[in-house]
């Protein structure tokens, strides 16, 4: 006979991705949680997965073994789980750290480095991938030649590519003197959009590095290393909205 998994109610709520465990207790105390159709105000009451737990009319289900892994992708690695050509993949880098099968949210091309989030949380993947959420991404671009003020202004206005206008949210020189080093903020998810923007203006990208993704940075994460997200970071991503600087 299988033993049912039991949870304190506040843990059940937090494991369902609503909020942190501490704030879940506050929701319970405030009468926001129903158990089997009745309001429950005791965060320590024991429930199982057979109980119907609701928040704002939605039935909650705790998700087991969710994994959120942030990788600082090296150059020359493909953003796939398997590669028919035998090239090194992001899965080859992280497979020793996780038992669960995880997948990248979005892609970085083989020669682009920087932040890549991998997870088995389908809801979060769908949310962060949807254009309506305008997930902020910041790249550092190293160009083969200095970017002229004229071309910088053209990029700010939007560059017409073969699949539509490529809009950026911000562009600046990383250093006032070295105009080959560019910071670019963007939320679009078009394929190779940054490379195509600069190629359309006859610049060659020497290095392209994603340094910021949806509120996550490369702090204390060397190239080729990965780390699990903190509870605070996971909650931040789950409550991500497209309002300015909400990341």
């Amino acid at each position: 006979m299988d033993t049912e998994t039991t949870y304190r109610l506040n843990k059940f709520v937090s494991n369902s991705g609503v909020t942190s465990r501490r704030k879940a207790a506050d929701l319970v105390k405030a009468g926001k949680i129903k158990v089997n159709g009745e309001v429950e105000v005791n965060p320590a009451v024991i429930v199982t997965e057979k109980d119907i737990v609701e928040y704002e009319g939605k039935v909650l289900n705790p998700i087991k073994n969710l994994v959120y892994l942030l990788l600082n992708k090296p150059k020359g690695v493909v953003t796939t789980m398997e590669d028919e050509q035998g090239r090194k993949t992001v899965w080859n880098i992280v497979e020793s750290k996780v038992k669960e099968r995880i997948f990248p949210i979005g892609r970085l091309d083989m020669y682009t480095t920087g932040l890549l989030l991998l997870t088995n949380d389908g809801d979060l993947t769908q949310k962060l991938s949807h254009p309506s959420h305008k997930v902020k991404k910041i790249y550092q671009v190293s160009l083969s030649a200095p970017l002229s003020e004229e071309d910088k202004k053209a990029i700010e206005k939007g560059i017409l590519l073969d699949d539509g206008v490529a809009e950026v949210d911000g562009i600046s020189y990383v250093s006032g003197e070295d105009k080959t080093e560019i910071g670019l903020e963007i939320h679009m998810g078009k394929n190779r959009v940054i490379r195509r923007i600069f190629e359309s203006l006859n610049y060659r990208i020497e290095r392209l590095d994603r340094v910021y993704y949806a509120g996550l940075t490369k702090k204390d994460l060397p190239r080729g290393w990965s780390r699990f997200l903190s509870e605070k970071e996971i909650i931040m991503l789950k409550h991500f909205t497209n309002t300015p600087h909400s990341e």
Side-chain angles (χ1 to χ4, degrees):
M1 181 176 178
D2 295 334
T3 303
E4 289 182 341
T5 302
T6 60
Y7 305 82
R8 288 167 59 104
L9 181 56
N10 65 317
K11 184 177 180 181
F12 186 104
V13 173
S14 67
N15 282 8
S16 300
V18 172
T19 186
S20 67
R21 196 178 304 183
R22 179 180 61 80
K23 291 184 178 180
D26 294 337
L27 288 178
V28 176
K29 292 175 184 177
K32 303 291 186 180
I33 305 297
K34 287 184 178 181
V35 178
N36 300 323
E38 301 291 333
V39 173
E40 177 57 68
V41 295
N42 179 8
V45 72
I46 300 299
V47 295
T48 73
E49 292 174 13
K50 290 185 177 180
D51 290 305
I52 300 175
V53 179
E54 297 174 89
Y55 172 59
E56 294 184 339
K58 180 181 178 181
V59 176
L60 304 181
N61 294 291
I63 308 172
K64 298 178 180 178
N65 300 321
L66 282 180
V67 176
Y68 306 87
L69 197 67
L70 186 66
L71 170 68
N72 186 349
K73 186 184 95 63
K75 188 175 182 179
V77 175
V78 292
T79 308
T80 57
M81 308 313 287
E82 298 177 354
D83 184 66
E84 295 179 353
Q85 300 179 40
R87 295 171 297 183
K88 188 173 184 179
T89 69
V90 293
W91 176 244
N92 295 146
I93 297 176
V94 304
E95 61 182 329
S96 63
K97 297 190 71 168
V98 292
K99 296 179 181 178
E100 297 77 11
R101 190 68 166 168
I102 57 177
F103 300 90
I105 299 180
R107 300 174 68 89
L108 294 176
D109 70 47
M110 183 174 179
Y111 300 105
T112 299
T113 60
L115 293 177
L116 187 68
L117 183 60
L118 299 98
T119 184
N120 56 356
D121 187 335
D123 290 338
L124 181 64
T125 298
Q126 183 175 9
K127 182 175 185 179
L128 294 182
S129 300
H130 199 281
S132 67
H133 288 285
K134 298 183 179 180
V135 176
K136 183 162 80 172
K137 293 162 274 190
I138 298 176
Y139 293 80
Q140 184 165 342
V141 188
S142 300
L143 298 176
S144 57
L147 179 66
S148 70
E149 288 286 351
E150 181 181 0
D151 288 339
K152 178 173 173 288
K153 289 178 181 178
I155 293 172
E156 288 174 339
K157 290 179 181 179
I159 297 291
L160 180 61
L161 302 176
D162 55 7
D163 55 353
V165 176
E167 298 177 345
V168 304
D169 302 310
I171 182 171
S172 62
Y173 299 113
V174 173
S175 168
E177 296 180 359
D178 185 0
K179 295 187 176 182
T180 63
E181 295 294 323
I182 310 299
L184 190 72
E185 179 183 329
I186 197 167
H187 68 266
M188 297 183 71
K190 291 184 177 181
N191 185 42
R192 298 183 73 254
V193 64
I194 295 176
R195 293 189 184 277
R196 290 190 291 135
I197 286 173
F198 286 101
E199 286 169 1
S200 72
L201 297 171
N202 298 314
Y203 292 92
R204 186 178 73 253
I205 291 180
E206 302 283 354
R207 290 186 302 276
L208 181 59
D209 187 36
R210 185 153 75 184
V211 298
Y212 180 102
Y213 177 79
L216 303 171
T217 72
K218 298 199 301 177
K219 182 181 179 182
D220 300 325
L221 190 63
R223 186 87 70 227
W225 289 51
S226 62
R227 67 170 178 84
F228 294 101
L229 296 190
S230 67
E231 181 186 17
K232 181 179 179 180
E233 289 171 326
I234 295 168
I235 295 298
M236 177 269 295
L237 289 174
K238 286 180 179 289
H239 289 267
F240 179 90
T241 65
N242 62 3
T243 52
H245 305 299
S246 62
E247 299 90 335

